[in-house]
Amino acid sequence: MRSFCDTMISQYEKILKYEDDRSENSRKRLRQYAKDGIEFAKQFRRRRLSLESPFVTPIRSRSPEKPNDDLIFVNNERFCSIGRFNWASFYKKGRDKGVFGRYSSHLTLKQAFTKGNL
């Protein structure tokens, strides 16, 4: 918000600087400064309103949800695995059983699991 105010102040100061000069060049300059200020304010308003949209829904609900099939499968397999967990073979096994349909590879599955997005 501060940068918006600073920019608008600067534009008005430029306009006032050339206010008394009546040459054609000064009038063009004043017109351009005014147009630039209007365009800047419109862009700022558009960005600001898009960030404050009341129609944005939260990605996660606040009510506790039951874990999906992907997460249940991952947790069961990790619990039963011995040694280092092999995500590539695990991903293939899950695809064969009909889970992980929304993941394109074992890397995206592992990333989702690590970030808690399963």
Side-chain angles (χ1 to χ4, degrees):
M1 190 65 154
R2 179 174 284 172
S3 65
F4 172 77
C5 294
D6 291 343
T7 303
M8 293 308 294
I9 289 167
S10 172
Q11 286 301 105
Y12 285 117
E13 286 173 344
K14 289 177 186 177
I15 290 171
L16 289 174
K17 179 179 175 183
Y18 292 100
E19 171 188 36
D20 294 330
D21 191 350
R22 300 287 180 207
S23 69
E24 179 65 26
N25 203 17
S26 290
R27 287 199 323 251
K28 286 181 182 178
R29 189 175 286 139
L30 286 171
R31 208 172 305 122
Q32 188 60 47
Y33 288 149
K35 286 180 181 178
D36 289 347
I38 291 168
E39 186 60 33
F40 181 79
K42 285 180 180 179
Q43 287 179 5
F44 183 84
R45 180 182 62 192
R46 185 174 44 246
R47 286 185 196 137
R48 194 74 178 165
L49 290 177
S50 69
L51 293 175
E52 297 175 357
S53 173
F55 301 108
V56 175
T57 56
I59 293 175
R60 295 178 187 247
S61 68
R62 294 181 183 222
S63 62
E65 298 177 4
K66 70 174 189 114
N68 64 25
D69 293 338
D70 294 342
L71 182 59
I72 292 170
F73 188 78
V74 170
N75 286 336
N76 288 341
E77 290 295 317
R78 285 182 58 97
F79 181 75
C80 295
S81 71
I82 299 172
R84 187 177 171 133
F85 194 71
N86 185 338
W87 282 94
S89 63
F90 166 70
Y91 174 77
K92 184 178 178 338
K93 182 179 178 182
R95 290 293 290 214
D96 292 343
K97 291 189 176 191
V99 291
F100 309 141
R102 60 186 175 156
Y103 300 102
S104 60
S105 74
H106 71 282
L107 297 174
T108 55
L109 172 66
K110 180 180 178 182
Q111 185 178 31
F113 179 76
T114 303
K115 291 184 176 182
N117 293 332
L118 271 182

